[in-house]
Amino acid sequence: MSCKEIYPWQANLLKHMYEIRKRLPHALLLRGCKGIGKFDFALQFTKSLLCSTPQMDGSACGICQSCNWFMQNNHPDFRLLTPEQDSINEDDPTATAAIKIMRKSQISILQVRELENFFALSSHHSGGHRIVLIHPAEALNAASANALLKVLEEPPPDVIFILVTHQPQRLLATITSRCQKIDMPVPDAALAIKWLQENGLTDATLRLSYAGGSPLSVLSEATEGYQALTVISQMLMLGARLDPFITAPKCLALGMELAINTLQKWIYDLINCRLVGEVRYNIQHIKALQALAKSVNLSRLFDFQRKLNDAQKSATHPLNHELQLEELLLQYTQTFLAHMPS
Ligand SMILES: [Zn+2]
């Protein structure tokens, strides 16, 4: 289990967590926006809970057998529940595209049921915890969420569940109510920019704005991905003159989720420009957005924004994405007054 150093904006929270480690509830829900290091935090905290000789400040020693097990992804007192990406054979002719996508995006009931054996064992080091980390928790489907709920209703002794999510509204309320919620800190812009620069990024300010203030999203975004976004921005600047059939495949090259997300950020900025003359994400294109905003029909734009939100929800479903994107982009061109019926 690779375990990165803690991010500077999480230091205070981690210190607090170390302080309350003796009186932890059965379940924790770490929630907060994407790209701020929630999962890395959860790993770091888990490692410290499992460590047999933690340091004075509560952090893991990094050298005991427990720490070694954990770093080798082999700790008997730890289970990670995450969508079964690694077990998918892309060439498996028996699995349909739909099944592959589902397995990649969901945590199955089988995965939850497999925990039963884990619960039946006692912890490997006396008085220790056993930890189940669920990431991302919104990947639980109806069946696996209900199976988990049953477990949380009567939690096995000494087991701590750590759920990580950036979409807490997608979890069962009955699950959420059994967890202690921890709001994960978002770094302020100055700290995030400093951190990105220390990690070798030269255009940190622009990139951070585009990533909505999530520094890890900036780093994880491949450079080609960022270049593709630039091409798409150039097309979106065309407004009513954009060609959906040329733009759709370019968008789709990013993957459906990122494509929709790119459109959502553009539309958010366009609406913001129209209302208050400001942009949040595409700050390098503010002039173009301000020009476009003058000729836009606001109520059509709001309709389009709702449609994008719906499309985002189904982005992982195996629909005909190219067709869907063409329709969305066509609707985009129709939000401009040039296309209003006279
Ligand atoms: Zn240790």
Side-chain angles (χ1 to χ4, degrees):
M1 186 64 54
S2 81
C3 217
K4 297 184 186 134
E5 287 305 301
I6 205 71
Y7 302 106
W9 53 91
Q10 296 174 334
N12 285 342
L13 176 63
L14 191 64
K15 186 165 167 276
H16 170 72
M17 299 295 286
Y18 287 154
E19 284 164 6
I20 62 165
R21 58 184 289 156
K22 290 266 186 279
R23 45 196 162 90
L24 285 175
H26 286 295
L28 294 167
L29 177 64
L30 308 186
R31 59 186 183 184
C33 63
K34 244 183 178 173
I36 53 171
K38 298 183 296 299
F39 182 55
D40 291 328
F41 181 94
L43 288 177
Q44 196 72 241
F45 184 55
T46 300
K47 187 179 165 192
S48 80
L49 290 177
L50 293 172
C51 174
S52 15
T53 52
Q55 307 194 58
M56 289 289 280
D57 66 357
S59 60
C61 74
I63 48 175
C64 70
Q65 183 173 45
S66 198
C67 284
N68 276 321
W69 276 335
F70 192 74
M71 287 185 285
Q72 288 161 23
N73 197 11
N74 194 23
H75 201 297
D77 294 332
F78 175 68
R79 289 291 182 277
L80 172 65
L81 259 60
T82 198
E84 296 174 299
Q85 312 205 2
D86 300 337
S87 62
I88 308 294
N89 178 0
E90 283 297 336
D91 303 322
D92 180 357
T94 60
T96 64
I99 288 176
K100 283 181 189 167
I101 288 174
M102 191 189 76
R103 282 195 205 146
K104 279 185 180 183
S105 60
Q106 298 186 358
I107 294 170
S108 69
I109 186 167
L110 201 67
Q111 289 174 277
V112 176
R113 284 196 182 136
E114 279 167 359
L115 289 174
E116 277 167 27
N117 293 335
F118 175 62
F119 297 148
L121 303 168
S122 60
S123 151
H124 276 251
H125 56 109
S126 56
H129 297 290
R130 281 172 298 157
I131 317 272
V132 177
L133 178 54
I134 304 178
H135 169 262
E138 65 270 13
L140 291 160
N141 58 31
S144 54
N146 275 302
L148 178 67
L149 178 61
K150 290 218 170 67
V151 178
L152 291 179
E153 281 167 350
E154 286 179 60
D158 302 325
V159 176
I160 294 175
F161 293 84
I162 303 178
L163 285 70
V164 179
T165 184
H166 70 276
Q167 293 179 306
Q169 73 283 3
R170 283 180 59 189
L171 304 183
L172 286 183
T174 40
I175 285 184
T176 316
S177 69
R178 283 180 170 76
C179 300
Q180 180 176 328
K181 288 109 190 150
I182 311 275
D183 289 315
M184 295 301 295
V186 180
D188 64 46
L191 182 58
I193 288 168
K194 180 167 172 278
W195 183 80
L196 285 168
Q197 285 167 342
E198 284 165 4
N199 278 277
L201 231 78
T202 46
D203 49 355
T205 310
L206 282 181
R207 302 272 295 262
L208 185 69
S209 294
Y210 192 78
S214 299
L216 301 187
S217 303
V218 176
L219 275 200
S220 66
E221 208 174 61
T223 305
E224 308 94 83
Y226 192 68
Q227 281 161 356
L229 289 176
T230 310
V231 172
I232 292 164
S233 306
Q234 301 294 334
M235 293 181 164
L236 291 171
M237 277 183 219
L238 295 171
R241 291 178 293 121
L242 170 143
D243 185 333
F245 302 102
I246 293 176
T247 313
K250 300 256 185 230
C251 288
L252 200 54
L254 294 173
M256 191 62 174
E257 279 188 272
L258 190 53
I260 299 287
N261 190 250
T262 303
L263 291 174
Q264 283 174 315
K265 286 175 172 172
W266 187 265
I267 297 308
Y268 179 96
D269 279 349
L270 201 49
I271 291 174
N272 226 22
C273 247
R274 176 62 187 257
L275 295 176
V276 291
E278 289 171 7
V279 300
R280 176 173 172 195
Y281 300 110
N282 297 278
I283 50 177
Q284 69 275 46
H285 301 309
I286 182 164
K287 286 218 160 64
L289 281 157
Q290 283 171 338
L292 281 176
K294 285 181 192 150
S295 67
V296 88
N297 176 295
L298 203 52
S299 75
R300 285 189 179 203
L301 208 52
F302 281 126
D303 284 346
F304 183 50
Q305 190 178 41
R306 273 192 290 275
K307 198 122 178 214
L308 285 176
N309 293 343
D310 291 343
Q312 183 66 290
K313 284 176 206 150
S314 60
T316 53
H317 291 201
L319 301 168
N320 184 336
H321 286 150
E322 187 155 351
L323 185 70
Q324 197 188 4
L325 272 171
E326 283 168 5
E327 282 169 9
L328 286 169
L329 289 162
L330 184 67
Q331 192 177 349
Y332 170 70
T333 65
Q334 291 167 349
T335 63
F336 296 93
L337 296 171
H339 266 259
M340 294 282 283
S342 50

